[in-house]
Amino acid sequence: SHGVHYKQGMNEVAAPFLYLCSDGSDKGGGDTAALAYVLYESFVFRFLQHFYCQEKSSSRYLFKAFRLFQLLLMHFDPQLGIHLYENEFIPELYAPQWFLCVYARGLPLLCVLRIWDMMIAVDDPAFTFFIGLALLRSKRDQLLMVEGTDLPEVIGDMRIEGNEGAVDVVLGEAW
């Protein structure tokens, strides 16, 4: 209805809403699917509009998001930012899934829901950048000790460890 075509990551953003609206049966009723869609649509238009809904400028906006993230990293943790930059490990290589899937890829569902609850409470689409900063900084010592050739593996395996309390620590740092 909005003329928006499928983009990478939309399915991972939709899945938590389908889970939340599911009644646990295999019926898949229309009301459940309709509610999941309305919630998904509202979330996308609030937090992902520039990435998903603007056909001609979405890649330009994503590029700007990477530049903004790099600047924020350099400002809040220059040592880590310089280490990643000097090793040619720029946000384009590790942050797309964070920004396009709003952390829904690779995290347990309950962690994703906790992150999204905080995003909705903060109500600022830029908050997703600060979550990324907090996530990087939570692994700061490990990242600074790693050689440049091993950075992709370390960041690729980077997760919020443990339970929901670990998510709260990352979110507290982001806030």
Side-chain angles (χ1 to χ4, degrees):
S1 65
H2 298 285
V4 176
H5 301 285
Y6 180 80
K7 302 281 190 320
Q8 181 179 354
M10 283 181 154
N11 60 321
E12 288 161 310
V13 175
F17 294 109
L18 291 168
Y19 170 80
L20 286 173
C21 294
S22 170
D23 63 1
S25 72
D26 292 333
K27 296 179 210 170
D31 291 341
T32 299
L35 177 59
Y37 177 77
V38 168
L39 294 171
Y40 165 76
E41 179 183 51
S42 296
F43 189 82
V44 164
F45 275 95
R46 178 65 184 134
F47 297 102
L48 296 163
Q49 181 175 8
H50 295 294
F51 298 130
Y52 288 172
C53 303
Q54 298 174 356
E55 291 297 323
K56 295 187 191 295
S57 64
S58 62
S59 61
R60 186 177 74 219
Y61 187 81
L62 186 57
F63 176 78
K64 288 180 178 183
F66 294 140
R67 295 291 63 80
L68 172 62
F69 187 74
Q70 183 70 39
L71 289 171
L72 289 170
L73 180 59
M74 290 293 199
H75 176 77
F76 287 102
D77 196 333
Q79 185 182 14
L80 180 56
I82 289 168
H83 177 68
L84 295 176
Y85 183 79
E86 285 178 345
N87 285 287
E88 299 178 1
F89 206 64
I90 55 177
E92 287 91 324
L93 299 175
Y94 59 88
Q97 68 181 9
W98 295 349
F99 301 154
L100 295 176
C101 300
V102 207
Y103 305 94
R105 180 181 293 164
L107 286 179
L109 182 60
L110 291 178
C111 292
V112 172
L113 296 176
R114 198 139 181 119
I115 289 170
W116 288 8
D117 281 347
M118 185 67 166
M119 288 179 62
I120 291 167
V122 170
D123 194 30
D124 183 353
F127 186 59
T128 191
F129 298 121
F130 291 94
I131 295 169
L133 286 173
L135 184 57
L136 279 179
R137 292 188 60 184
S138 73
K139 307 297 181 187
R140 180 182 197 279
D141 294 337
Q142 182 182 6
L143 290 168
L144 288 173
M145 291 176 27
V146 163
E147 294 294 320
T149 55
D150 294 327
L151 281 170
E153 182 179 343
V154 171
I155 288 184
D157 290 338
M158 194 164 42
R159 304 281 185 265
I160 298 175
E161 305 290 335
N163 56 19
E164 294 172 17
V167 173
D168 289 341
V169 170
V170 170
L171 290 173
E173 289 293 317
W175 179 243

